C-alpha cells in the first residue's frame, strides 16, 4: 500500500467521511452480517403483521429463556421476562445488575407495516366477479398495490366467540389474491392523472372469486360461492367479517437482491429491519448493567394511536411495574432512562436525487443511521435529540466499532415524517432515532443492505451493555 500524503492524512483526521462497510469491514464481519440476515429473512417470512410478529417473538424469546412477566414478583439480575399487550405489541426485559433507579435502556421498534385492511363489510359481487373492499393502512402509494400477488392474514371471530387465525397465500399451493389495473391500451385517461390520484382508494378492491355457485338465476352467485367455500373451510359467515381484523399484504418471500447478494428485498422492512435487530439484541444480551428493555409496538404507521400504539400508557406501566419491584418510583426510572427509537430512514436513491440533500442523507452499506430529528416544515412534530445525548450515542458506537452514519429524511421542503421518538421523549426519557436505511420505503417490496441490518443489531446490543 502506498504511503498516505499529508493532505490525505489531514482529510482523514479532520473531515467527516462515512465509510462504505463493504470496503472497511473485515471478511469475518461481512460473513457475520450475511449470517445474521439469513435469520432475519426467516423472521420476515414468519411474521408479516403485528400479531404474527408478536407470536414469532414470543417463540424466539422463550427459546432464549424469557418468561411471562408476573406483576408483583421480584426478579433477580439476569432474569429475562416479557409481556404481550393484546397480542399486538410486546415488551421484553433483562433485569440489570444496577438498581433500576439508574434507569433502563430502551430499544423501541414498530411491527406494523403499511398494508390493505379489509373494510368491516368487505365482500361484494360486481358483474360476476367477487371482491373484497379495502381501507388502506399507513402511507402507501396506491398504484404500487395493483397487479401484485397478495396474501390474506388476520383474525376472524366466529359468532360463538371462537378465534380463527387466517393466513392464505403464503404456501406454495395456496391461492393468492390481486387488485386489477386497466391495460395500457385503455389507460390513456388514467395515464394523464397524477400518480396520487390515478388509483382511487375505492378501486383497491381485491379479486377473490369468479365462479358461480350453480347454474341458476339470481343475484350474487359468485359471492355466494365464495361464502360457501369460506364456510366449508373455516365456518365463517359474512357477518363474522364485521368484527374481524383482516390484512392483505404482499405474498412475496424475502429474497437476496443483486448479483453480490448484498441486499434484501422484502415486504415490511419498515420496521421489521429494526424490530428484529432490537429483538435479537435483547435475546443475546446477558447480564446487562442497566435493565435492558426492547419494545415492539403497533400502530406507528397511523400515528402510534390506540392501546397497542406507543402513544398509550402500556410501556409506561411496564416500566412502573419494574420500578415497583425495587420500591422505586416509576417516574424516576423514566427520567433516568435512555432510549434508541429504532426506526428506518430513507436511503439516498440516485434515481430520485432531487428529493435528497446528499450531505445529510443516509446510504446503503454505510451502517446504522442516527436521525437526530424527523418532522416536517421546520422540525414540526419531532423530538429533537440533545447534543449531549447525541454525543453519548456517537461515542458509544465509535468505541464499539459499530459502523454508523447520520441522516435526515430528504430535503427540508419535500416532505417529512415521524417516529415513536416523540412519545418516548414525552415521558422524560432521552431519545434518539436510530435505524436502517431503506430504499423504496413503504412500497410492497422494500430494499435494505445486509451490512446495515447487522450494524443495527450491534448498535442495540452495545447500547444495552453500555
Ligand atoms: Mn417506521
Ligand atoms: Mn413507516
Amino acid at each position: 500500500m502506498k504511503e498516505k500524503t499529508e493532505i490525505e492524512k489531514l482529510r482523514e483526521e479532520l473531515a467527516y467521511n462515512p465509510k462504505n462497510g463493504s470496503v472497511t469491514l473485515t471478511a469475518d464481519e461481512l460473513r457475520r452480517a450475511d449470517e445474521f440476515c439469513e435469520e432475519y429473512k426467516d423472521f420476515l417470512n414468519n411474521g408479516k403483521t403485528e400479531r404474527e410478529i408478536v407470536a414469532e417473538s414470543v417463540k424466539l424469546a422463550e427459546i432464549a429463556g424469557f418468561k411471562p412477566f408476573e406483576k408483583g414478583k421480584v426478579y433477580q439480575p439476569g432474569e429475562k421476562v416479557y409481556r404481550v399487550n393484546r397480542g399486538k405489541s410486546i415488551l421484553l426485559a433483562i433485569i440489570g445488575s444496577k438498581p433500576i433507579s439508574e434507569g433502563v435502556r430502551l430499544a423501541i421498534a414498530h411491527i406494523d407495516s403499511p398494508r390493505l385492511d379489509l373494510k368491516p363489510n368487505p365482500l361484494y359481487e360486481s358483474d360476476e366477479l367477487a371482491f373484497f373492499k379495502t381501507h388502506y393502512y399507513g402511507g402507501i402509494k396506491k398504484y404500487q398495490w395493483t397487479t401484485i400477488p397478495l396474501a390474506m392474514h388476520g383474525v376472524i371471530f366466529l359468532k360463538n366467540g371462537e378465534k380463527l387465525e387466517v393466513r392464505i397465500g403464503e404456501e406454495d399451493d395456496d391461492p393468492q389474491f390481486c387488485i386489477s389495473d386497466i391495460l395500457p391500451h385503455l389507460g390513456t385517461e388514467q395515464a394523464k392523472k397524477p400518480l396520487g390520484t390515478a388509483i382511487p382508494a375505492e378501486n383497491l378492491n381485491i379479486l377473490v372469486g369468479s365462479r358461480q355457485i350453480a347454474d341458476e338465476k339470481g343475484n350474487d352467485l359468485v359471492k355466494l360461492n365464495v361464502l360457501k367455500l369460506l364456510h366449508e373451510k373455516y365456518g365463517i359467515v359474512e357477518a363474522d367479517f364485521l368484527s374481524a381484523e383482516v390484512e392483505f399484504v404482499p405474498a412475496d418471500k424475502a429474497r437476496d437482491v443483486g448479483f453480490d447478494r448484498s441486499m434484501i428485498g422484502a415486504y415490511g422492512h419498515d420496521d421489521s429491519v429494526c424490530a428484529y435487530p432490537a429483538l435479537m439484541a435483547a435475546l443475546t444480551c446477558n447480564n446487562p448493567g442497566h435493565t435492558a428493555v426492547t419494545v415492539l409496538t403497533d400502530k406507528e404507521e397511523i400515528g402510534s394511536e390506540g392501546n397497542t400504539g406507543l402513544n398509550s400508557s402500556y410501556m409506561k406501566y411496564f416500566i412502573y411495574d419494574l420500578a415497583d419491584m425495587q420500591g422505586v418510583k416509576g417516574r424516576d426510572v423514566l427520567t433516568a432512562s435512555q432510549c434508541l427509537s429504532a426506526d428506518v430512514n430513507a436511503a439516498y436513491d440516485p434515481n430520485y436525487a432531487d428529493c435528497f440533500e446528499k450531505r445529510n442523507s443516509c446510504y446503503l452499506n454505510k451502517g446504522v443511521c442516527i436521525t437526530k430529528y424527523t418532522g416536517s416544515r421546520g422540525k414540526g412534530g419531532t423530538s429533537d435529540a440533545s447534543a449531549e445525548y447525541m454525543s453519548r450515542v456517537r461515542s458509544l458506537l465509535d468505541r464499539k466499532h459499530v459502523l454508523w452514519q447520520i441522516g435526515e429524511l430528504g430535503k427540508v421542503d419535500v416532505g417529512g415524517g415521524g417516529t415513536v421518538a416523540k412519545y418516548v421523549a414525552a415521558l422524560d426519557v432521552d431519545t434518539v432515532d436510530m435505524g436502517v436505511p431503506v430504499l423504496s420505503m413503504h412500497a410492497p417490496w422494500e430494499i435494505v443492505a445486509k451490512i446495515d441490518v447487522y450494524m443495527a443489531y450491534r448498535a442495540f446490543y452495545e447500547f444495552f451493555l453500555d
Side-chain angles (χ1 to χ4, degrees):
M1 204 182 282
K2 87 173 195 294
E3 189 82 4
K4 281 184 183 141
T5 66
E6 282 306 307
I7 290 291
E8 279 169 344
K9 281 187 207 159
L10 265 185
R11 202 192 302 281
E12 208 160 278
E13 230 172 275
L14 303 182
Y16 169 61
N17 181 23
K19 302 288 190 305
N20 187 311
S22 63
V23 178
T24 57
L25 265 54
T26 64
D28 198 41
E29 283 174 308
L30 286 172
R31 183 185 50 76
R32 277 202 296 271
D34 290 348
E35 281 173 8
F36 184 82
C37 285
E38 286 307 302
E39 290 181 5
Y40 172 47
K41 283 186 284 180
D42 291 341
F43 183 80
L44 283 165
N45 295 336
N46 291 338
K48 290 192 175 181
T49 66
E50 58 278 4
R51 287 177 188 269
E52 291 175 355
I53 294 172
V54 165
E56 183 69 10
S57 301
V58 166
K59 205 163 86 188
L60 297 173
E62 290 194 338
I63 293 169
F66 282 73
K67 302 240 161 36
F69 179 75
E70 292 173 45
K71 190 167 156 28
K73 187 171 165 184
V74 176
Y75 290 95
Q76 300 306 316
E79 285 200 90
K80 301 170 176 192
V81 294
Y82 70 88
R83 173 185 281 171
V84 171
N85 175 16
R86 297 170 170 87
K88 299 188 197 185
S89 45
I90 181 170
L91 310 117
L92 305 104
I94 307 107
I95 309 301
S97 55
K98 297 184 185 201
I100 199 152
S101 54
E102 293 185 27
V104 302
R105 297 278 187 266
L106 283 156
I108 309 177
H110 68 92
I111 48 175
D112 59 318
S113 298
R115 62 187 187 233
L116 303 174
D117 287 352
L118 285 194
K119 290 193 182 191
N121 184 19
L123 183 60
Y124 71 101
E125 176 172 339
S126 179
D127 303 283
E128 296 171 33
L129 295 173
F131 295 95
F132 276 155
K133 295 293 297 179
T134 65
H135 191 139
Y136 66 91
Y137 173 96
I140 63 166
K141 294 166 92 174
K142 296 191 271 293
Y143 72 89
Q144 294 178 332
W145 291 74
T146 64
T147 66
I148 58 168
L150 297 170
M152 173 173 164
H153 294 237
V155 297
I156 302 173
F157 282 87
L158 305 184
K159 203 175 177 180
N160 65 10
E162 190 192 326
K163 180 182 173 182
L164 283 179
E165 286 176 36
V166 186
R167 187 179 166 102
I168 309 168
E170 301 290 356
E171 300 304 321
D172 284 346
D173 55 351
D174 276 356
Q176 294 180 333
F177 309 90
C178 191
I179 294 167
S180 64
D181 194 3
I182 193 70
L183 61 165
H185 317 62
L186 302 180
T188 322
E189 285 308 310
Q190 185 197 49
K192 289 178 191 161
K193 293 179 187 167
L195 278 179
T197 55
I199 310 284
E202 297 298 343
N203 273 29
L204 294 177
N205 302 316
I206 298 170
L207 186 59
V208 298
S210 70
R211 278 192 190 172
Q212 299 193 6
I213 192 166
D215 183 20
E216 275 186 39
K217 295 219 162 44
N219 294 331
D220 290 352
L221 293 173
V222 178
K223 173 183 168 180
L224 201 57
N225 195 36
V226 168
L227 281 173
K228 178 168 171 273
L229 292 168
L230 285 172
H231 190 257
E232 280 169 4
K233 183 136 195 224
Y234 302 105
I236 302 170
V237 298
E238 190 172 17
D240 295 334
F241 282 108
L242 302 176
S243 57
E245 279 181 9
V246 179
E247 306 161 0
F248 278 76
V249 297
D252 279 328
K253 286 193 162 60
R255 299 290 289 255
D256 286 349
V257 170
F259 292 115
D260 55 10
R261 295 182 171 264
S262 59
M263 299 166 280
I264 304 170
Y267 166 71
H269 280 314
D270 179 9
D271 191 28
S272 283
V273 77
C274 299
Y276 182 71
L279 175 68
M280 291 318 288
L283 267 48
T284 55
C285 140
N286 293 310
N287 305 310
H290 293 91
T291 294
V293 179
T294 286
V295 185
L296 306 184
T297 191
D298 182 28
K299 295 285 183 283
E300 192 278 340
E301 294 296 357
I302 58 168
S304 297
E305 310 295 350
N307 57 12
T308 54
L310 214 73
N311 200 12
S312 97
S313 296
Y314 82 88
M315 182 187 83
K316 183 172 78 180
Y317 292 160
F318 183 65
I319 305 290
Y320 283 12
D321 288 344
L322 291 173
D324 285 348
M325 197 172 75
Q326 294 185 15
V328 179
K329 274 197 179 134
R331 52 155 289 185
D332 293 333
V333 175
L334 286 168
T335 302
S337 291
Q338 297 178 0
C339 173
L340 296 179
S341 161
D343 209 342
V344 298
N345 200 332
Y348 180 82
D349 186 340
N351 288 317
Y352 297 93
D354 278 358
C355 302
F356 296 89
E357 194 264 282
K358 271 191 150 177
R359 271 175 296 276
N360 288 283
S361 294
C362 59
Y363 295 80
L364 292 190
N365 288 313
K366 293 194 176 181
V368 68
C369 171
I370 299 182
T371 305
K372 185 176 185 292
Y373 48 84
T374 57
S376 53
R377 292 170 299 278
K379 300 193 180 181
T382 186
S383 137
D384 195 349
S386 71
E388 287 81 357
Y389 190 54
M390 287 289 289
S391 158
R392 146 158 171 55
V393 172
R394 173 187 158 205
S395 64
L396 166 70
L397 298 183
D398 283 342
R399 209 164 61 239
K400 299 295 177 183
H401 305 289
V402 176
L403 186 71
W404 69 276
Q405 56 185 323
I406 202 84
E408 265 198 15
L409 186 71
K411 275 184 181 163
V412 179
D413 277 337
V414 303
T419 64
V420 301
K422 63 176 174 177
Y423 302 110
V424 187
L427 296 171
D428 197 26
V429 177
D430 276 321
T431 304
V432 69
D433 282 302
M434 182 187 289
V436 175
V438 179
L439 280 176
S440 314
M441 193 199 294
H442 283 207
W445 221 57
E446 305 171 308
I447 307 284
V448 299
K450 292 179 178 177
I451 287 172
D452 305 331
V453 184
Y454 180 61
M455 288 300 157
Y457 161 72
R458 288 214 44 224
F460 303 141
Y461 178 83
E462 296 296 353
F463 176 72
F464 279 164
L465 287 178
D466 185 52

